[in-house]
Amino acid sequence: MPLAHMSSTPKQVANRSNQSAWVAIWGYGIVMSLLLVAGLGTPAAIAFPVGSLALGLFLYYRAPYLYIGYAWWMVFLGNLIRRLIDYRAGYLTFGPWGLTTNLVACISLITAVTYLPSSHRKGLLTFVIPLCSVGYAFCIGFNQNALNGVVNGTLAWVCPVAFGLHIFLHWRDYPQLKQVFLKTFLWGVLVMGIYGVIQYVFAPPWEVFWLDNTQIASFGSPEPFGIRVASTAGAPQTFATLMLSGLILVFCEATNPVSYLASGFGYISFILTFARAVWLSAAISIPLFLLSLKPSYQIRMIIVGVVLFVIVATTLLSWEPVYEKFYERFESFFDLRNDQSFNDRSAGYEVLWGAALVEFLGRGIGFSTTDISASIGANDGSIFPLIFNFGWFGLLGYLGGFLVMLLKLLSIPDARSDIFIGACRMVVLCVLVQAGLNSIFDSSSGMVMWGFMAMGLAGHKYYLAQRSAKEVSGAKAQIQPYPSPIQ
């Protein structure tokens, strides 16, 4: 080892690692931008997943905090970059929309494998058991379903759980990870919010190309003021979930002037998704979040959040094209009998329940509920995909680990003293109440669910260790971070 490194402090080594990491990030961003500007869509289609995975591995080992932020930015922007690539290529390139995002998140499996032998001592069994259930569903699907669907589906299911395990294992780094979450989602809300407005007002050509080729009627018409805003995500519901999660975290950054701008664009784009299930979850969860805070926090949060939302909503809904669509979607809550989407789901659920009751072993990952009932989409709910993919046998392990963590998250007292933990809890509830209508356990929504669950529990364990150390030493606790993979 060079003498310069031997004499360096850990902080100096970390700074050098961060500098090299940022060079790699900017270098990769410039290369991808040049490929897109030059119209080289086909080479970019290969460079995007391969380069993103390579950069993710580099950050995982050299700048672990940046890896966490990078994984979230891939959740935010991965689908938009894919649409730009397809537009430049002139056709829909290979792989599912979230492939690159899943590959980056899948790097966290290294942590799961590394600490698997000691998982029972480190409190990781509630993550390991769901991972085992995914492994079971993979084995069933590998024998019964198309390989392409099995591989892509397994990535979508396993990555959120592994990412959550990676975060929770490094609870000793909770203060640093907390700042990563807050900063990443603050700027993520701003970027996604601004682009959502651009998407709705201008309908850029790559968005028109995407809608013309996918022909998903529920995403709106490919024209200005006709698109249901999905912003940088892959679907309006997915984007609404990401945005709502970010808006809740922005409450925690009330002293940052950027939070006001981010919230403004965030609320506008959130409304323009016309995603009723997420609207409903916001109406339930945000008031509960505000009520769970200390009175001093409540006043500040109400001023920052509620007042700003009322101003934005009032201004936006005074615009006739938006008001008409909003009123049509909102009115459907009170007239479900005439709502086609509700009727289709009801008919589909009736058929699926009859088949689901006998699915003890399941049909494995790669099986789609649309093969039984075509009246609902593959992502219209989470209950039946769980039952048919995992079977009642595999479902016990997956939901068992999840419910144990959920009950613990809901019962921890630190949510009142640390507003961020309270925000994590509300984000999980926001996603959970959509279970009957949207897919919430896999892909991007799964990343939100398991990631914020892990952060809330990591914060609780961190404070428990602090209190225990103070009781023993009578001095300020010093929680030492794990030596690897987060330094």
Side-chain angles (χ1 to χ4, degrees):
M1 180 181 292
L3 292 177
H5 288 281
M6 294 180 65
S7 61
S8 299
T9 65
K11 185 175 182 180
Q12 290 172 331
V13 173
N15 288 337
R16 282 197 293 269
S17 296
N18 283 339
Q19 290 173 0
S20 62
W22 278 113
V23 170
I25 292 171
W26 281 108
Y28 176 59
I30 291 171
V31 170
M32 286 300 303
S33 299
L34 291 175
L35 289 174
L36 292 174
V37 170
L40 302 176
T42 301
I46 300 173
F48 182 44
V50 174
S52 297
L53 180 61
L55 177 58
L57 284 168
F58 178 77
L59 296 177
Y60 178 87
Y61 288 107
R62 293 296 300 273
Y65 298 135
L66 286 179
Y67 165 72
I68 299 292
Y70 172 66
W72 280 120
W73 276 108
M74 288 304 304
V75 172
F76 298 160
L77 303 181
N79 282 275
L80 173 61
I81 297 172
R82 169 68 180 271
R83 295 202 291 272
L84 290 169
I85 290 172
D86 288 355
Y87 175 68
R88 282 303 193 179
Y91 61 93
L92 298 183
T93 55
F94 60 90
W97 293 101
L99 174 62
T100 302
T101 300
N102 288 334
L103 288 175
V104 172
C106 197
I107 295 171
S108 57
L109 275 173
I110 298 173
T111 304
V113 173
T114 301
Y115 290 96
L116 185 61
S118 59
S119 59
H120 64 287
R121 290 187 287 105
K122 296 185 179 296
L124 301 177
L125 284 180
T126 48
F127 291 96
V128 172
I129 293 175
L131 285 174
C132 292
S133 293
V134 175
Y136 164 79
F138 168 80
C139 293
I140 298 294
F142 186 79
N143 291 325
Q144 298 185 11
N145 304 319
L147 182 61
N148 183 56
V150 173
V151 172
N152 293 329
T154 301
L155 284 174
W157 280 104
V158 78
C159 291
V161 185
F163 189 66
L165 182 151
H166 176 75
I167 291 172
F168 176 74
L169 177 67
H170 298 95
W171 59 267
R172 297 171 184 267
D173 302 286
Y174 169 73
Q176 292 82 6
L177 293 179
K178 173 182 173 180
Q179 292 305 312
V180 169
F181 267 66
L182 289 173
K183 185 176 181 179
T184 301
F185 273 84
L186 173 64
W187 289 101
V189 165
L190 180 60
V191 171
M192 291 189 293
I194 291 174
Y195 185 78
V197 174
I198 293 173
Q199 183 185 55
Y200 184 76
V201 174
F202 299 103
W206 49 88
E207 302 292 352
V208 174
F209 178 84
W210 171 50
L211 291 175
D212 283 339
N213 281 271
T214 55
Q215 296 184 342
I216 304 176
S218 62
F219 286 10
S221 56
E223 59 186 0
F225 311 111
I227 297 176
R228 281 184 62 193
V229 167
S231 188
T232 60
Q237 293 85 356
T238 303
F239 168 65
T241 299
L242 286 172
M243 181 54 69
L244 179 56
S245 305
L247 288 170
I248 291 175
L249 281 198
V250 168
F251 279 125
C252 305
E253 290 284 88
T255 58
N256 190 332
V258 178
S259 66
Y260 298 95
L261 184 63
S263 296
F265 281 104
Y267 285 129
I268 292 172
S269 60
F270 178 72
I271 292 173
L272 294 176
T273 62
F274 302 107
R276 292 175 296 179
V278 192
W279 285 354
L280 184 61
S281 70
I284 295 172
S285 302
I286 289 182
L288 289 175
F289 173 56
L290 294 174
L291 291 173
S292 69
L293 302 176
K294 291 181 177 180
S296 58
Y297 284 149
Q298 286 180 3
I299 296 174
R300 185 175 65 185
M301 296 302 103
I302 289 173
I303 293 175
V304 173
V306 178
V307 173
L308 184 59
F309 173 77
V310 170
I311 294 173
V312 169
T314 302
T315 304
L316 190 61
L317 295 179
S318 65
W319 192 11
E320 187 174 350
V322 176
Y323 171 76
E324 291 177 354
K325 293 181 181 179
F326 177 84
Y327 181 76
E328 179 183 351
R329 300 289 286 179
F330 188 77
E331 188 182 32
S332 65
F333 284 118
F334 308 99
D335 189 20
L336 293 177
R337 291 183 179 179
N338 295 319
D339 184 76
Q340 187 62 41
S341 176
F342 176 80
N343 292 331
D344 288 343
R345 288 172 187 258
S346 298
Y349 289 165
E350 186 175 351
V351 173
L352 290 172
W353 267 123
L357 292 175
V358 296
E359 286 296 333
F360 180 72
L361 296 179
R363 306 193 188 187
I365 293 176
F367 176 81
S368 175
T369 54
T370 56
D371 295 338
I372 298 177
S373 175
S375 64
I376 60 174
N379 295 319
D380 289 345
S382 299
I383 299 172
F384 291 110
L386 279 170
I387 295 174
F388 283 101
N389 285 177
F390 292 81
W392 293 103
F393 177 73
L395 186 63
L396 289 175
Y398 188 91
L399 281 187
F402 173 80
L403 290 176
V404 168
M405 287 188 287
L406 177 63
L407 292 175
K408 186 173 183 179
L409 181 68
L410 295 178
S411 64
I412 58 179
D414 302 294
R416 289 188 63 83
S417 57
D418 186 338
I419 187 175
F420 178 77
I421 294 180
C424 289
R425 184 161 65 184
M426 285 304 110
V427 168
V428 171
L429 290 177
C430 278
V431 181
L432 187 61
V433 296
Q434 303 173 40
L437 300 171
N438 294 328
S439 177
I440 65 170
F441 289 106
D442 60 341
S443 301
S444 297
S445 295
M447 289 282 287
V448 173
M449 174 74 82
W450 287 95
F452 278 87
M453 177 90 75
M455 274 301 297
L457 295 176
H460 174 60
K461 191 166 185 178
Y462 177 82
Y463 288 125
L464 280 179
Q466 272 197 331
R467 288 192 287 268
S468 177
K470 287 180 180 179
E471 290 175 0
V472 172
S473 64
K476 185 177 180 180
Q478 295 293 327
I479 307 300
Q480 297 300 319
Y482 284 112
S484 175
I486 292 183
Q487 301 295 329

